[in-house]
Amino acid sequence: MRANVAPREAARLEALKNYRILDTEAESSYDAITYLAAQLCDVPIALISLVDEERQWFKSKVGLEVSETSRDVSFCAHAILGEQTLVVRDAREDERFRDNPLVCSEPNIVFYMGVPLSTPEGAKIGTLCVIDRQPRELSAAQVHSLEVLAHQVVLQLELKRVSDQLAAALERINVMEELIPICSYCKGIRNDSGYWQSVEAFIKSHDNVEFSHGVCNACMARFFPEVEPIPGDPAGDAPES
């Protein structure tokens, strides 16, 4: 049975996209987590599964060769619909999964437990899951340990996202520290391609900035002498040359 679409699916997919993690190479920091999950729960398969629009993709995997499967057959697509850990003790007896090709053939899933990977904003982007080919019962300590590891996955994703943002910010700062050609008359700025841009266009091309235009007191007096300036308005003071 295909899982229902998650609530606020567009926002969930956008949150996943913002991590820029899909289809990246294997990383030891994530592989260490799936290894620990498999060892702690004594299962042959452990996955960090990210649920994309039409597929689930495995950032890290233990005991499984494939790197992704269709979302139609994904256990994790069911897990992200709830707030709590999803436990399927015997998929052969669960009407949601008993006809699933992942149950009826390789990897012959019987037991499944998936902890939703929840972003700080509450978007469920995937799971940390463990799988066995026989029915299982995990202890409360094992369940809690898996939930702690799932939180570590999200922390790793957040660390990467913040690092990417800092790198982009440093790149913008480096651009702004360079000598910038500016027209002496119209104050336009020449970009790297040799074209002239307004100050607003140049800054917006290097940072996510919006502008609110006004007129300073000096320009009001020069171009609009009939308009009285607002007394004591610091925003209208003339800029220094």
Side-chain angles (χ1 to χ4, degrees), residues 23-151:
D23 299 310
T24 56
E25 296 294 326
E27 297 178 59
S28 60
S29 57
Y30 296 100
D31 291 343
I33 292 174
T34 48
Y35 173 80
L36 283 174
Q39 294 297 310
L40 285 167
C41 298
D42 191 24
V43 295
I45 300 172
L47 308 166
I48 294 174
S49 174
L50 301 171
V51 182
D52 201 0
E53 187 172 8
E54 297 294 338
R55 61 172 177 157
Q56 61 173 354
W57 177 77
F58 308 131
K59 172 59 183 173
S60 179
K61 56 188 186 293
V62 169
L64 200 65
E65 293 300 320
V66 299
S67 60
E68 63 181 62
T69 70
S70 167
R71 184 171 175 174
D72 288 345
V73 298
S74 169
F75 280 59
C76 298
H78 290 265
I80 64 173
L81 297 177
E83 298 293 330
Q84 304 301 318
T85 298
L86 174 64
V87 180
V88 180
R89 291 174 177 81
D90 192 336
R92 299 167 300 183
E93 299 178 357
D94 192 310
E95 64 178 8
R96 295 170 295 177
F97 305 113
R98 60 191 176 198
D99 296 324
N100 190 304
L102 301 180
V103 175
C104 301
S105 58
E106 281 293 328
N108 300 114
I109 297 173
V110 174
F111 171 80
Y112 169 92
M113 185 169 74
V115 183
L117 301 176
S118 183
T119 71
E121 295 75 31
K124 308 297 187 298
I125 60 171
T127 72
L128 172 63
C129 66
V130 291
I131 293 168
D132 204 344
R133 297 182 177 92
Q134 61 186 10
R136 293 294 303 270
E137 286 282 350
L138 296 184
S139 69
Q142 286 174 310
V143 174
H144 179 66
S145 296
L146 196 68
E147 291 170 345
V148 170
L149 288 175
H151 182 61

Side-chain angles (χ1 to χ4, degrees), residues 167-199:
L170 286 172
E171 183 177 350
R172 291 193 296 268
I173 290 171
N174 288 336
V175 169
M176 300 307 290
E177 284 181 343
E178 295 174 358
L179 183 63
I180 300 174
I182 185 169
C183 175
S184 300
Y185 293 92
C186 70
K187 308 305 180 184
I189 294 176
R190 190 176 66 221
N191 62 25
D192 294 337
S193 301
Y195 295 100
W196 291 91
Q197 297 177 291
S198 68
V199 173

Side-chain angles (χ1 to χ4, degrees), residues 177-226:
E177 284 181 343
E178 295 174 358
L179 183 63
I180 300 174
I182 185 169
C183 175
S184 300
Y185 293 92
C186 70
K187 308 305 180 184
I189 294 176
R190 190 176 66 221
N191 62 25
D192 294 337
S193 301
Y195 295 100
W196 291 91
Q197 297 177 291
S198 68
V199 173
E200 294 95 329
F202 179 82
I203 293 177
K204 287 182 70 174
S205 70
H206 291 86
D207 209 338
N208 185 24
V209 176
E210 296 295 333
F211 290 88
S212 175
H213 291 86
V215 181
C216 70
N217 281 350
C219 288
M220 286 292 291
R222 179 180 177 185
F223 297 104
F224 305 98
E226 71 279 6

